[in-house]
Coordinates of all heavy atoms in Angstrom, one line a residue:
M1044 N 39.4 -75.2 -50.0 CA 40.6 -75.1 -50.8 C 41.0 -73.7 -51.3 O 40.0 -73.2 -52.2 CB 40.5 -76.1 -52.0 CG 41.8 -76.1 -52.8 SD 41.7 -77.0 -54.3 CE 41.7 -78.7 -53.7
I1045 N 41.9 -73.2 -50.8 CA 42.3 -71.7 -51.1 C 43.4 -71.9 -52.2 O 44.6 -72.4 -51.9 CB 42.7 -70.8 -50.1 CG1 41.6 -70.9 -49.0 CG2 43.0 -69.4 -50.5 CD1 40.2 -70.5 -49.4
L1046 N 43.2 -71.4 -53.5 CA 44.3 -71.7 -54.5 C 45.5 -70.8 -54.5 O 46.4 -71.3 -54.8 CB 43.6 -71.6 -56.0 CG 42.4 -72.7 -56.2 CD1 41.7 -72.4 -57.6 CD2 43.1 -74.1 -56.3
T1047 N 45.3 -69.5 -54.2 CA 46.4 -68.7 -54.2 C 46.8 -68.4 -52.7 O 46.2 -68.6 -51.8 CB 46.2 -67.3 -54.8 OG1 45.4 -66.5 -53.9 CG2 45.4 -67.5 -56.2
N1048 N 48.1 -67.8 -52.6 CA 48.5 -67.5 -51.2 C 48.1 -66.1 -50.7 O 48.4 -65.7 -49.6 CB 50.1 -67.6 -51.3 CG 50.7 -66.6 -52.3 OD1 50.2 -65.7 -52.7 ND2 52.1 -67.0 -52.6
G1049 N 47.4 -65.4 -51.6 CA 46.9 -64.0 -51.0 C 47.9 -63.0 -50.9 O 47.6 -62.0 -50.1
D1050 N 49.1 -63.0 -51.5 CA 50.1 -62.2 -51.1 C 50.1 -60.8 -51.7 O 50.9 -60.0 -51.6 CB 51.5 -62.9 -51.5 CG 51.7 -63.0 -53.0 OD1 51.0 -62.6 -53.8 OD2 53.0 -63.3 -53.4
K1051 N 49.0 -60.5 -52.5 CA 48.9 -59.2 -53.1 C 47.7 -58.4 -52.2 O 47.5 -57.3 -52.5 CB 48.5 -59.2 -54.4 CG 49.4 -60.0 -55.3 CD 50.7 -59.4 -55.6 CE 51.6 -60.1 -56.6 NZ 51.8 -61.6 -56.3
G1052 N 47.2 -59.1 -51.3 CA 46.0 -58.5 -50.6 C 46.4 -57.5 -49.5 O 46.0 -57.7 -48.3
N1053 N 47.2 -56.4 -49.8 CA 47.7 -55.5 -48.8 C 48.4 -54.3 -49.4 O 49.0 -54.4 -50.4 CB 48.7 -56.2 -47.9 CG 49.3 -55.4 -46.7 OD1 48.4 -54.7 -46.2 ND2 50.4 -55.4 -46.4
H1054 N 48.3 -53.2 -48.8 CA 48.7 -52.0 -49.3 C 49.6 -51.3 -48.2 O 50.1 -50.2 -48.4 CB 47.6 -51.0 -49.7 CG 46.8 -51.5 -50.8 ND1 47.3 -51.5 -52.1 CD2 45.6 -52.0 -50.8 CE1 46.4 -52.0 -53.0 NE2 45.2 -52.3 -52.2
N1055 N 50.0 -52.1 -47.2 CA 50.8 -51.7 -46.1 C 52.2 -52.0 -46.3 O 52.6 -53.2 -46.3 CB 50.3 -52.3 -44.9 CG 51.1 -51.8 -43.5 OD1 52.1 -51.1 -43.7 ND2 50.6 -52.1 -42.4
P1056 N 53.1 -51.1 -46.5 CA 54.5 -51.4 -46.9 C 55.3 -51.9 -45.7 O 56.4 -52.5 -45.8 CB 55.1 -50.1 -47.2 CG 54.1 -48.9 -46.7 CD 52.8 -49.6 -46.6
E1057 N 54.8 -51.8 -44.5 CA 55.4 -52.3 -43.3 C 55.4 -53.8 -43.3 O 56.1 -54.5 -42.5 CB 54.7 -51.8 -42.0 CG 54.5 -50.4 -41.9 CD 55.9 -49.7 -41.6 OE1 56.5 -50.0 -40.5 OE2 56.3 -48.8 -42.4
I1058 N 54.4 -54.4 -44.0 CA 54.2 -55.9 -43.9 C 54.9 -56.6 -45.1 O 54.7 -56.1 -46.3 CB 52.7 -56.2 -43.8 CG1 52.1 -55.7 -42.5 CG2 52.5 -57.8 -43.9 CD1 50.6 -55.9 -42.4
T1059 N 55.7 -57.5 -44.7 CA 56.3 -58.2 -45.9 C 55.4 -59.3 -46.5 O 54.3 -59.7 -45.8 CB 57.5 -59.0 -45.5 OG1 57.2 -60.2 -44.6 CG2 58.6 -58.1 -44.5
R1060 N 55.8 -59.8 -47.7 CA 55.0 -60.7 -48.4 C 54.9 -62.0 -47.6 O 53.7 -62.4 -47.5 CB 55.8 -61.1 -49.8 CG 55.0 -61.7 -50.8 CD 55.8 -61.9 -52.0 NE 55.3 -63.1 -52.7 CZ 55.8 -64.3 -52.6 NH1 56.7 -64.4 -51.8 NH2 55.3 -65.2 -53.3
N1061 N 55.9 -62.6 -47.0 CA 55.7 -63.8 -46.3 C 55.0 -63.6 -44.9 O 54.2 -64.6 -44.6 CB 57.1 -64.3 -45.9 CG 57.7 -64.9 -47.1 OD1 57.2 -65.4 -48.1 ND2 59.0 -65.0 -47.2
Q1062 N 55.1 -62.4 -44.4 CA 54.2 -62.1 -43.2 C 52.8 -62.2 -43.6 O 51.9 -62.8 -42.9 CB 54.6 -60.8 -42.5 CG 55.8 -60.8 -41.7 CD 56.2 -59.4 -41.3 OE1 56.0 -58.5 -42.1 NE2 56.9 -59.3 -40.3
L1063 N 52.4 -61.5 -44.7 CA 51.1 -61.5 -45.2 C 50.4 -62.8 -45.5 O 49.4 -63.2 -45.1 CB 51.0 -60.6 -46.4 CG 49.6 -60.4 -46.9 CD1 48.7 -59.7 -46.0 CD2 49.6 -59.7 -48.2
I1064 N 51.3 -63.7 -46.1 CA 50.7 -65.0 -46.5 C 50.5 -65.8 -45.2 O 49.5 -66.4 -45.1 CB 51.9 -65.8 -47.3 CG1 52.2 -65.2 -48.7 CG2 51.5 -67.3 -47.5 CD1 53.3 -65.6 -49.3

Side-chain angles (χ1 to χ4, degrees):
M1044 177 191 284
I1045 309 297
L1046 294 170
T1047 78
N1048 58 19
D1050 74 350
K1051 306 294 189 298
N1053 183 39
H1054 298 280
N1055 180 352
E1057 305 286 302
I1058 297 174
T1059 69
R1060 194 174 154 273
N1061 284 336
Q1062 281 171 332
L1063 182 63
I1064 293 170

